[in-house]
Amino acid sequence: MKKITSLLLVILSLVMVLSLASCNKQTTEEIINGAIEKTSALTEYEAKMNITIDMAMQGMTMSIPMNVVTKVKDADKENPIISATTTTSMLGQSMSVESYMDGEYVYISEDGEGYKMSLEDAMGEYDYASDIDDMLKKMPEDLIKDIELTEGDDGSYKLTVSIPNETFEEIFGDFVDDMNEASAGEIIEELEISDCKVVITVKNDYVSNYDISFKMAMSVGGVETNSTVTANMEFVNPGEAVTVTPPEGYQDFEDFSDLGGFDW
């Protein structure tokens, strides 16, 4: 009888452990969107964004890579402190720009020249924190609930999901508009999005990487253009302190309005 009782107790204990483990297991939506919420709530962070736009039009092809390293402090305040180094290449020419926002001005350093602009004149052009927000979006639960995450040896989780075109535009509309402007620079007459894919990697309850890819078929000034956009955003040691450094000598930069605007 004692042996039977002991066996029943062992079985009961196993059932309780398995039930508890099942209750504690997080869903795909909880892991992914929970990490996105936690990362979005960071008041200071460093993010590296690599974007490539491959364009084809009238028998010609062109690739536009852009790399942005952004550091942000006081992200929860009305005027966060932001520094960014942006490197862009086009037609064999490379350009690097440093920018720094202190709540009153944007300080820009380019090719050894420096100037400052009021936030109003800058019109958000150098607010790379907003660009990060445009990309770091939560996933609809009904879209990812049945997707099994890939677990890495480092304890990370990876979600790979293809997104219907209409849903993608609803979620990433602002980001798509940014890519339109970067690739066309003109009014888009027609635009069709396809092959939309998102890959999100979560580690230590934060988003470590957020990748987006999609294709754009558009008409610009009557010219049919096809583009493939690939974007990767990496958060560097999320949750740790960040040092934001302004360009050297920024306090002596001349005001942009005193330099004759964009004609200087």
Side-chain angles (χ1 to χ4, degrees), residues 94-110:
S94 181
M95 179 177 67
S96 182
V97 178
E98 288 185 70
S99 62
Y100 174 77
M101 294 175 58
D102 66 356
E104 183 178 4
Y105 288 99
V106 180
Y107 301 86
I108 300 103
S109 179
E110 177 183 351

Side-chain angles (χ1 to χ4, degrees), residues 214-231:
F214 61 98
K215 293 181 178 180
M216 298 189 297
M218 52 190 163
S219 176
V220 183
V223 178
E224 300 299 321
T225 304
N226 293 290
S227 300
T228 299
V229 177
T230 55

Side-chain angles (χ1 to χ4, degrees), residues 10-246:
V10 170
I11 294 174
L12 180 60
S13 297
L14 287 174
V15 170
M16 291 178 66
V17 169
L18 291 174
S19 298
L20 183 60
S22 177
C23 291
N24 290 335
K25 185 178 180 180
Q26 288 183 297
T27 65
T28 294
E29 192 270 341
E30 288 172 337
I31 292 173
I32 297 301
N33 286 340
I36 292 173
E37 287 182 1
K38 188 173 181 179
T39 306
S40 297
L42 288 171
T43 59
E44 56 182 308
Y45 58 86
E46 178 181 353
K48 297 179 180 179
M49 186 180 294
N50 298 305
I51 301 173
T52 301
I53 304 174
D54 293 311
M55 301 177 61
M57 57 183 176
Q58 296 183 324
M60 298 183 298
T61 59
M62 180 172 62
S63 183
I64 306 174
M66 180 173 67
N67 305 308
V68 185
V69 178
T70 304
K71 295 182 179 181
V72 180
K73 289 185 77 73
D74 300 331
D76 56 335
K77 297 182 180 180
E78 183 178 357
N79 294 310
I81 307 300
I82 304 172
S83 71
T85 301
T86 306
T87 304
T88 308
S89 299
M90 185 182 298
L91 301 175
Q93 299 295 318
S94 181
M95 179 177 67
S96 182
V97 178
E98 288 185 70
S99 62
Y100 174 77
M101 294 175 58
D102 66 356
E104 183 178 4
Y105 288 99
V106 180
Y107 301 86
I108 300 103
S109 179
E110 177 183 351
D111 294 332
E113 300 289 341
Y115 60 93
K116 65 181 181 181
M117 303 173 66
S118 68
L119 294 181
E120 182 179 357
D121 289 339
M123 299 176 64
E125 182 178 354
Y126 298 94
D127 185 2
Y128 293 105
S130 294
D131 295 338
I132 292 171
D133 290 340
D134 290 343
M135 189 170 170
L136 187 64
K137 298 294 186 182
K138 294 169 65 175
M139 293 288 98
E141 181 180 1
D142 59 348
L143 188 66
I144 66 173
K145 64 180 181 180
D146 295 325
I147 298 179
E148 185 174 345
L149 299 176
T150 301
E151 296 187 36
D153 294 335
D154 58 354
S156 63
Y157 294 93
K158 180 181 290 186
L159 169 77
T160 302
V161 55
S162 295
I163 303 180
N165 304 337
E166 185 175 337
T167 302
F168 185 86
E169 290 191 71
E170 290 175 358
I171 299 172
F172 299 103
D174 291 335
F175 183 75
V176 171
D177 289 342
D178 291 340
M179 295 303 98
N180 287 341
E181 183 177 348
S183 59
E186 298 182 36
I187 298 176
I188 307 297
E189 297 163 0
E190 296 180 13
L191 174 66
E192 183 177 340
I193 301 295
S194 63
D195 296 350
C196 308
K197 183 179 177 182
V198 170
V199 179
I200 303 171
T201 304
V202 170
K203 186 177 179 181
N204 298 327
D205 297 328
Y206 288 104
V207 174
S208 60
N209 289 82
Y210 199 117
D211 302 341
I212 293 177
S213 62
F214 61 98
K215 293 181 178 180
M216 298 189 297
M218 52 190 163
S219 176
V220 183
V223 178
E224 300 299 321
T225 304
N226 293 290
S227 300
T228 299
V229 177
T230 55
N232 165 262
M233 181 164 59
E234 174 191 355
F235 286 91
V236 181
N237 299 321
E240 296 187 6
V242 172
T243 300
V244 179
T245 305

